[in-house]
Amino acid sequence: MPRPAATAAAPPARKVPLRKLLRAASVACGVQFGWALQLSLLTPYVQELGIPHAFASLVWLCGPLSGLLVQPLVGHLSDRIAPAASPLGRRRPFIAAGAASIAAAVLTVGFSADIGRLFGDDITPGTTRLGAICVYLVGFWLLDVGNNATQGPCRAFLADLTENDPRRTRIANAYFSLFMALGNILGYATGAYSGWYWIFPFTVTPSCSISCANLKSAFLLDIIILVITTYITVASVQEPQSFGGDEAEHPGTEQEAFLWELFGSFRYFTLPVWMVLIVTALTWIGWFPFILFDTDWMGREIYRGSPDNPEATQSYHDGVRMGSFGLMLNSVLLGLTSVVLEKLCRKWGAGLVWGVSNILMALCFVAMLVITYVAKNMDYPPSGVPPTGIVIASLVVFTILGAPLAITYSIPYAMAASRVENLGLGQGLAMGILNLAIVIPQVIVSLGSGPWDQLFGGGNAPAFAVAAGASFIGGLVAILGLPRARIGSSRRRGGTHNR
């Protein structure tokens, strides 16, 4: 286990140009394109396959459970590989392998209904398709393994390239967030379009209806985008040949078991590191209910549809597409916020920016609860189309949430990257540790949100109430407990932190 210690000054190295950092971050677009499709379309899709709403959140346990071990393990392994051991260095092989896993997974998920039919599924509408569900779950696990295997090394790759320079670390993570926004825009726009089955008519089969064919077509587009952006990242820049503080560069150092190193590193954490992890956990308790049920909320509560009621299926899918459009608007604001985030952190401090964004999240979730109440007690026209004011209010909330989402995608990673520098941990392991603060709350929400919602009538409002409370508490902790100074403002001498 590396011990905290001041390291000898390394000779100055030539900094990686910002344009190359931009290209190195581009794989986030391809990964996030698929993630956006996953968020907007898969919760409705699993209910079409016959999984009840109360248990739909349990399916999402795949992500946090795989992330609980996969991302720290991949980060650990990439820290331990010497850059000269592979033509692609130590991070890029994992990025390429993770992208390949994502491509295989989206094919499995997209064609799950067709494969399930080969296993003997009854394709009558409203029936539970056990074969398709099993295939879907395998693909979903593989998809989340690929996502975790890709994003951790990507973040560590950027941290390596910036060599823990605070300003450049913020810029690199802002680039990553910007490409995530672009991927979100493309993904949610793709999910909102209902005519892909016409462009790709071979996707419509006896076991795959029009909505299923649209999902399948969207995932085929995802593979194309993913291949392009992965190539740009892998070919963008050579990895540095030395990394201060990493044991991969000191072959005589005794290697410890992975899990012991992961959990044993906790005892070296300083208070600022713990505060980053606590705020991250509270932030994701806030985000995950929204991620699980955003388009489902639009389909059920706003459009009064249901995926398992033939008479209300069309209204539900209309709501899901409108929700995808709202998430696309969300991503536009996410991208704009990413552009100005560095200036905001310089002016107000990262802790304050993060805290204010969490409180804004809480207000948005409260607004969704208010909209739910108003829609429930409002008379809709005979057509069943929700009033324009309700739809616009929902879209405004979705859009505003793009600003705190950009901060969630950037500031925690930049803070973690800079604050573990003096602990002697590799950046891959550091990103894995931060990931624990993300996935453990997701496990809690996945286990509890479905039954919790069912306890209060089967809607999504109870989960959003929990999200609002966690976000607000996280905002207060960030404002009071995180330093106002700029990200990574730690002194380079003696391992102390400038609070």
Side-chain angles (χ1 to χ4, degrees), residues 187-276:
Y188 291 133
T190 300
Y193 181 57
S194 59
W196 293 116
Y197 74 96
W198 182 79
I199 300 174
F200 302 100
F202 64 89
T203 58
V204 180
T205 65
S207 56
C208 190
S209 63
I210 289 177
S211 60
C212 169
N214 282 326
L215 179 144
K216 190 189 302 181
S217 302
F219 277 143
L220 293 176
L221 293 173
D222 174 40
I223 294 176
I224 297 173
I225 300 295
L226 184 64
V227 169
I228 294 172
T229 55
T230 301
Y231 174 78
I232 293 173
T233 290
V234 171
S236 61
V237 61
Q238 292 293 321
E239 296 186 35
Q241 294 300 304
S242 63
F243 303 86
D246 286 355
E247 289 181 353
E249 304 306 312
H250 305 282
T253 304
E254 181 182 354
Q255 299 293 314
E256 298 186 34
F258 163 67
L259 287 178
W260 172 249
E261 179 165 3
L262 176 62
F263 293 106
S265 63
F266 291 170
R267 66 180 180 269
Y268 298 116
F269 287 177
T270 59
L271 180 60
V273 174
W274 279 114
M275 296 306 296
V276 170

Side-chain angles (χ1 to χ4, degrees), residues 20-108:
K20 289 191 175 182
L21 287 178
L22 182 68
R23 292 201 294 270
S26 63
V27 71
C29 177
V31 174
Q32 200 67 19
F33 184 97
W35 184 240
L37 295 175
Q38 188 177 351
L39 297 182
S40 60
L41 300 179
L42 290 192
T43 293
Y45 181 60
V46 297
Q47 294 177 77
E48 283 188 50
L49 295 181
I51 298 178
H53 177 265
F55 298 102
S57 64
L58 297 179
V59 175
W60 287 81
L61 274 174
C62 302
L65 287 179
S66 65
L68 191 64
L69 288 178
V70 171
Q71 193 167 127
L73 176 60
V74 169
H76 170 84
L77 292 175
S78 66
D79 283 341
R80 293 299 174 267
I81 295 177
S86 164
L88 294 178
R90 61 177 185 170
R91 310 291 188 193
R92 290 178 292 170
F94 291 96
I95 295 172
S101 298
I102 293 172
V106 297
L107 284 175
T108 303

